Structure formats: C-alpha cells, structure tokens
Amino acid sequence: MTQIRPISDLEDHLKDVLRLASRAPVFLTGEDGGSYVFMTNKEYKKISGITTSEATRERVAKLRLMGWSTEEIAKSLRTTTDEVELLINELPKARK
C-alpha cells in the first residue's frame, strides 16, 4: 500500500521509511509543496524498465579494479554517473 509521509521522516524516522520502502514506494512531501518518491533500487528498475546485463556488470567491475572513475566508466558505457553508481552498489563487496 502506498505511504505518504513528510520529508522530515527521512531524518526523524529513517528506519521506518526504509522498512516501508522495502514493501512499496513511499511518497515524501516537502515543506515547499514538492514531493519525492523513495523506493528500492529493485522497484525503480522494475518500473523504469532498466535492465543490466551480466556482461555490463562484469565490465564495470573490471574497470573499477583498473582504477577508472565513475565518470570515466559512465562515458565509456554511454550512461550517467548515477546509473554507474547503482551498478557499483550491486557488485559483490570483493569487487569494489
């Protein structure tokens, strides 16, 4: 079920927001009237249609081991640094 919470909950009740977001996206409202959506990476990929091949993950892992920066990897993959960061966070810890 969709949850709507004030953005201050990120600071005041982060564990609760994380728990809720693991089940469904959480909509956060700001004091300025703006709103944001907090969700798991898995959910984001599902709704945005982003898929990452194992070959791409392996390439990112190898480039990281070679000392490439996030920006250099993003440029070589023709993607954004945010997408590369998401891939890096998915890599097994031994590969970082």
Side-chain angles (χ1 to χ4, degrees):
M1 182 174 164
T2 301
Q3 293 286 319
I4 300 174
R5 308 288 294 256
I7 200 161
S8 60
D9 275 9
L10 278 180
E11 186 175 331
D12 301 336
H13 305 284
L14 181 59
K15 287 182 182 179
D16 292 335
V17 173
L18 291 172
R19 182 180 46 77
L20 291 170
S22 70
R23 297 184 199 144
V26 177
F27 291 82
L28 302 167
T29 57
E31 292 177 6
D32 61 355
S35 61
Y36 309 88
V37 180
F38 193 79
M39 67 182 77
T40 63
N41 184 34
K42 182 178 179 180
E43 184 69 19
Y44 171 74
K45 285 184 172 187
K46 186 170 90 177
I47 66 170
S48 66
I50 295 173
T51 57
T52 306
S53 71
E54 187 61 33
T56 301
R57 284 189 202 93
E58 289 294 321
R59 184 170 178 196
V60 169
K62 287 178 183 175
L63 293 173
R64 292 280 293 168
L65 288 173
M66 292 170 53
W68 284 40
S69 71
T70 302
E71 292 80 14
E72 291 169 323
I73 296 170
K75 190 174 181 179
S76 83
L77 295 175
R78 295 187 179 118
T79 190
T80 65
T81 55
D82 289 340
E83 289 296 326
V84 172
E85 288 294 334
L86 289 173
L87 285 171
I88 290 169
N89 290 332
E90 290 177 357
L91 295 174
K93 299 298 182 205
R95 293 189 178 163
K96 284 190 177 180

